[in-house]
Amino acid sequence: QVQLVESGGGVVQPGRSLRLSCAASGFTFSSYGMHWVRQAPGKGLEWVAVIWYDGSYKYYADSVKGRFTISRDNSKDTLNLQMDSLRAEDTAVYYCARGGMVIAAIPDFWGQGTLVTVSS
Amino acid sequence: DIQMTQSPSSLSASVGDRVTITCRASQDISNYLAWFQQKPGKAPKYLIYAASSLQSGVPSKFRGSGSGTDFNLTISSLQSEDFATYYCQQYKSYPLTFGGGTRVEIK
């Protein structure tokens, strides 16, 4: 069955960096676009970034552009999110999600998330 | 960027009721709209695409409608498992954007 398992979350000071990873299994990872979506505590969903199935295109939310970098390793079925210059407002649960096969822009399957807390 | 506004932000309903949630886009998105359900402490679940098409395995009690800028999600015969927060999402263009969510609570 499809599984997405995020890791790398934790407590980090403002201005520092953190790298999240998402291990995928149960589907042909290299055929799907992948997303990161976050949710601040008690708040709604905020889309963060997407990467095309082959890594050829990447898009970011304005709030993270220039600070976050999405990447993937199709040989290891892994999605990454490098987060630099972290701010308190980046505190959230970060979900890795698979884009649909037909509609890649809809995250059709989500991991359980990893919590990132930015605090001094 | 396309802004998505949901209303109400929360509603109370009883088991067996029918409820309707509204989602409005800041510009015409045709039918490039999806709906998600999220229960506390869980990841969101994908319900509807293209404004009105049910994702595989989603019961027909969920009905999406609308096009352009105004959309609705109607849930018929509410059951305990339907009490959750619902989000709309536009996929007309990047950056993708979600509505603020509608929490459906038990009256």
Side-chain angles (χ1 to χ4, degrees), chain B residues 22-60:
Chain B
T22 295
C23 177
R24 176 163 290 173
S26 61
Q27 63 189 78
D28 186 344
I29 61 168
S30 184
N31 68 337
Y32 292 93
L33 187 93
W35 288 98
F36 294 84
Q37 174 194 66
Q38 186 181 32
K39 296 181 180 179
K42 300 294 187 181
K45 175 186 175 183
Y46 169 32
L47 298 177
I48 286 172
Y49 64 97
S52 60
S53 298
L54 289 180
Q55 170 69 341
S56 175
V58 174
S60 58

Side-chain angles (χ1 to χ4, degrees), chain B residues 6-25:
Chain B
Q6 282 183 240
S7 60
S9 57
S10 66
L11 64 90
S12 295
S14 301
V15 171
D17 284 355
R18 183 177 68 182
V19 299
T20 296
I21 298 166
T22 295
C23 177
R24 176 163 290 173

